[in-house]
Amino acid sequence: MQQMLQPGQTVQTQSGTPCQVDRLLGAGGQGEVYRVNWSGGNFALKWYYCNPSDAQQVKSLQDQRKSLEKLLGPAPSDAFLWPLDIACLPGTHNFGYLMRLREPRFRDLEDLIYNRVKPMPDFRTLATIGLALADNFHKLHCKGLCYRDISFGNAFIDPKTGDVAICDNDNVTEDKSPVCAVLGTQGFMAPEVYCGKLPSKRTDLHSLAVLLFRIFLSSHPLKGKRLLNLQLLDEEATQELLGTKPLFIFDPSDRSNEAVDDPEAGKTAKKYWNIYPQFLKEAFTRAFTKGLHDPDNGRLVEDEWRRILSRLRDAIFYCACGIENFYDLDAMRASGGKAGVCWSCKKQLRFPYRVRIDDTVVMLSHVGKLYPHHLDNARSKSYDFTRAVAEVVRHPTDPNIWGLKNCTTEKWVVTVPDGSLSTIEPGRSVILQPNVKVNFGKVEGEIRY
């Protein structure tokens, strides 16, 4: 099939800035994507398929253009490859929209879920990816917008940093808009969408929960034993499995759809479920029990996911074998205060130092760091992992002594167990030892072991 635009061809833009086609990047169900030169730089142009003799398609594209025109302006965040301008060919129904090019460092999220990213990101990076997704969809929803099609096909990740890029933003509309060209992707749509309701911010929350579950457990939360009992996974069976009678594969009161040792029915989830701390398992259980049937009150909102995934990141510490484990207060209490055994090598774990700041516990392993949100007592926090405000360091002459280095520009006030006070200047460190209290300015932390 011949591509719709040719290298060197110029299309007009709504802003009046010429846009010249460079080359085809790819094609999908809605259209083709080209690399173009526009406004003095390289950008991407999504150009929609259009059959001028198909009146219904022409009408749908007209509605699509109106929706896109409402989106032009500042993006919810830099993570969104947001519509920047409309391009068209005068005298035709053909048009497209311009956006930033996706950086080469970003990989398909689907590659992560299906273990095609090598080396695989560690738990800390997975938590960072999940938090970034929740954070960015929170910013989109705060603008009164609905994404409609949250799925692993529309997000890209940097497997080294956990940064995300979100594409296909032409699906975005005002929340509860009756204009709906896209209902979602099968497997990610909320049960009520399968049953005829239009997408909304509330249905986005279900899709986000599914996406997070698949990132952490590489399985679908509603596809367990029932899937294997089906003779045929046709439209009717899919409707029942995901829409009219959905059941979580770890539902605590009904095991008829439990995860089993089959790759399509929860095998990976069954393997990894108990590695994660209780608070994450409780979050997923709520999302896929009460959240399935009570969209308004049962689903976790983005800020809850942000706090949970930040806590998950903070809970990571390392076994002597080098594998990441999680500080799980519930499991620790159940075992009489013991750290338990490593999920990989099965040897006894030993906790590193940790710091409690209000209700937050951060494990101070050899790579432990504190970030601005740890020292911010504001209810609504922002999460920036590019700048540490404190980091665990080794004593320059005694490798058995570890400290917490002040990476801020402010002094810390330290209280040791005997009650004496000292100050820690920027660039200096407080020695890690039990029951030392550190006043960071807005908050105070206590070091424990």
Side-chain angles (χ1 to χ4, degrees), residues 63-75:
D63 291 338
Q64 179 73 73
R65 182 165 178 166
K66 290 176 183 177
S67 294
L68 279 166
E69 288 172 343
K70 292 180 180 179
L71 296 178
L72 297 180

Side-chain angles (χ1 to χ4, degrees), residues 52-285:
S53 62
D54 186 337
Q56 185 175 353
Q57 186 186 47
V58 170
K59 173 63 168 61
S60 177
L61 284 173
Q62 290 173 342
D63 291 338
Q64 179 73 73
R65 182 165 178 166
K66 290 176 183 177
S67 294
L68 279 166
E69 288 172 343
K70 292 180 180 179
L71 296 178
L72 297 180
S77 75
D78 289 340
F80 291 90
L81 304 181
W82 202 247
L84 301 172
D85 202 350
I86 304 293
C88 64
L89 285 175
T92 74
H93 296 293
N94 296 87
F95 80 99
Y97 73 93
L98 288 143
M99 58 187 150
R100 295 192 338 263
L101 280 167
R102 174 165 49 92
E103 297 174 53
R105 66 189 176 103
F106 287 103
R107 296 285 302 274
D108 287 1
L109 186 52
E110 193 171 5
D111 288 345
L112 171 67
I113 292 169
Y114 290 111
N115 296 323
R116 296 195 290 257
V117 173
K118 303 295 180 186
M120 284 296 294
D122 55 22
F123 285 130
R124 190 181 303 275
T125 305
L126 292 183
T128 307
I129 290 168
L131 196 155
L133 288 167
D135 187 47
N136 284 292
F137 284 118
H138 172 72
K139 291 172 180 175
L140 180 134
H141 290 153
C142 283
K143 291 174 70 75
L145 300 172
C146 163
Y147 189 81
R148 294 180 177 264
D149 192 20
I150 296 175
S151 68
F152 54 51
N154 296 330
F156 299 86
I157 55 102
D158 182 333
K160 293 182 179 179
T161 66
D163 293 340
V164 303
I166 301 170
C167 66
D168 287 351
N169 294 292
D170 49 341
N171 296 326
V172 175
T173 64
E174 294 173 337
D175 188 33
K176 298 180 182 178
S177 169
V179 178
C180 186
V182 175
L183 292 175
T185 298
Q186 189 177 102
F188 290 88
M189 295 187 298
E192 61 269 31
V193 176
Y194 282 99
C195 297
K197 287 196 174 182
L198 291 177
S200 66
K201 288 195 288 186
R202 285 290 165 187
T203 66
D204 274 358
L205 294 180
H206 173 83
S207 302
L208 176 62
V210 173
L211 186 60
L212 294 174
F213 191 88
R214 298 198 70 166
I215 287 171
F216 288 105
L217 293 139
S218 298
S219 299
H220 194 283
L222 306 179
K223 293 182 179 179
K225 187 192 297 184
R226 281 184 177 179
L227 182 67
L228 302 184
N229 294 334
L230 295 173
Q231 296 293 324
L232 177 66
L233 188 60
D234 57 10
E235 184 176 347
E236 182 180 351
T238 300
Q239 179 89 351
E240 182 174 306
L241 192 70
L242 304 176
T244 58
K245 297 181 180 178
L247 184 62
F248 185 35
I249 60 174
F250 294 110
D251 191 297
S253 59
D254 187 341
R255 298 181 61 184
S256 64
N257 192 36
E258 66 183 345
V260 294
D261 290 327
D262 183 280
E264 299 299 319
K267 180 178 180 179
T268 307
K270 184 179 177 182
K271 177 181 176 181
Y272 285 102
W273 179 251
N274 287 323
I275 291 174
Y276 290 108
Q278 185 64 24
F279 63 83
L280 182 65
K281 292 188 286 186
E282 288 176 353
F284 281 129
T285 299

Side-chain angles (χ1 to χ4, degrees), residues 382-395:
S382 60
Y383 297 89
D384 178 8
F385 297 108
T386 63
R387 179 173 62 90
V389 295
E391 62 179 342
V392 174
V393 294
R394 206 166 211 159
H395 194 280

